[in-house]
Amino acid sequence: TQLLEQSPQFLSIQEGENLTVYCNSSSVFSSLQWYRQEPGEGPVLLVTVVTGGEVKKLKRLTFQFGDARKDSSLHITAAQPGDTGLYLCAGAWGSARQLTFGSGTQLTVLP
Amino acid sequence: ETGVTQTPRHLVMGMTNKKSLKCEQHLGHNAMYWYKQSAKKPLELMFVYNFKEQTENNSVPSRFSPECPNSSHLFLHLHTLQPEDSALYLCASSQAGTSSTNEQFFGPGTRLTVL
């Protein structure tokens, strides 16, 4: 069973602050996705990264895929209360078509 | 609107009841999934269907029985559940293929409480 570790598990910050969430594995990903889940809803896909060293930006969110494709990070600049939610990374290995999810980072942005 | 709908959104049932969860995807995808999300645990993949054929059953107890009549609909039939089965049950779909990154689109989930 492949494992994905996310850190931190919980994060509470003030509006306007920056933050970074990490996703790590001992195995090489063929692809990795980040999702955000709000209370009472299903996860919503934010981004997919495939190439080692890849950086993708989505407004104030920056996603980075490690050169070795074993880790990824999500950086949020000037966080807003609307960014509050559970951030999940999900990875696929080799030819596997199923995703393995990390346990998530619960982010709370206080006004 | 994610294109994946689930009903009911909330369900309370006794251990002797029989109920079914329904999922429908309007995205033209060829794969559908059931996940279980419990507090403080990662999403657990339960079942996978590709082109209506079940391809994965991750050691799920027989009290959970999936059904996929076509590529747009997925059911999860429940019977004689236990209180520890209380969780958010999520349905997802994707376009699975050899070069696919398997991006999955989730429904809003059914919050199940077993008394």
Side-chain angles (χ1 to χ4, degrees):
Chain A
T1 303
Q2 307 291 355
L3 293 177
L4 271 174
E5 295 184 356
Q6 279 191 248
S7 61
Q9 187 177 357
F10 298 95
L11 190 55
S12 182
I13 62 171
Q14 293 294 135
E15 182 176 3
E17 293 183 354
N18 302 332
L19 67 112
T20 303
V21 174
Y22 300 92
C23 179
N24 294 283
S25 174
S26 57
S27 302
V28 176
F29 300 111
S30 57
S31 65
L32 185 139
Q33 297 161 23
W34 285 93
Y35 292 80
R36 181 172 71 202
Q37 184 178 17
E38 298 187 19
E41 299 296 330
V44 175
L45 179 67
L46 297 174
V47 77
T48 300
V49 286
V50 178
T51 305
E54 185 175 5
V55 177
K56 284 191 174 180
K57 293 192 175 184
L58 184 64
K59 297 183 180 178
R60 292 175 293 101
L61 278 60
T62 301
F63 303 87
Q64 189 161 3
F65 202 14
D67 290 340
R69 292 190 291 143
K70 292 183 177 182
D71 57 274
S72 181
S73 64
L74 158 60
H75 182 79
I76 301 179
T77 303
Q80 299 176 1
D83 295 327
T84 293
L86 179 68
Y87 288 81
L88 298 162
C89 66
W93 285 265
S95 60
R97 295 178 187 162
Q98 281 74 51
L99 297 178
T100 296
F101 282 81
S103 55
T105 293
Q106 181 62 55
L107 172 65
T108 303
V109 182
L110 304 170
Chain B
E1 176 60 55
T2 63
V4 181
T5 58
Q6 288 187 244
T7 56
R9 293 294 307 274
H10 301 273
L11 178 62
V12 179
M13 57 187 290
M15 290 190 287
T16 59
N17 292 157
K18 289 184 180 181
K19 297 287 184 182
S20 295
L21 310 184
K22 179 182 177 182
C23 176
E24 184 174 359
Q25 60 98 359
H26 312 274
L27 301 169
H29 289 160
N30 60 10
M32 296 186 77
Y33 311 79
W34 280 116
Y35 287 89
K36 176 183 179 182
Q37 188 176 35
S38 306
K40 300 180 181 180
K41 294 176 72 174
L43 265 73
E44 301 172 63
L45 179 64
M46 300 175 71
F47 300 105
V48 181
Y49 278 84
N50 278 312
F51 296 98
K52 304 185 298 176
E53 299 296 323
Q54 184 176 315
T55 58
E56 290 288 335
N57 175 346
N58 285 357
S59 303
V60 179
S62 59
R63 56 186 184 269
F64 296 92
S65 175
E67 178 189 0
C68 188
N70 56 61
S71 58
S72 298
H73 294 85
L74 186 64
F75 296 89
L76 188 62
H77 303 298
L78 317 172
H79 66 97
T80 58
L81 294 192
Q82 304 298 311
E84 59 265 28
D85 296 323
S86 298
L88 181 68
Y89 288 85
L90 290 160
C91 172
S93 71
S94 73
Q95 186 61 30
T98 54
S99 61
S100 169
T101 53
N102 201 14
E103 296 172 340
Q104 296 184 12
F105 295 82
F106 285 82
T110 295
R111 173 64 64 186
L112 174 66
T113 302
V114 181
L115 302 177

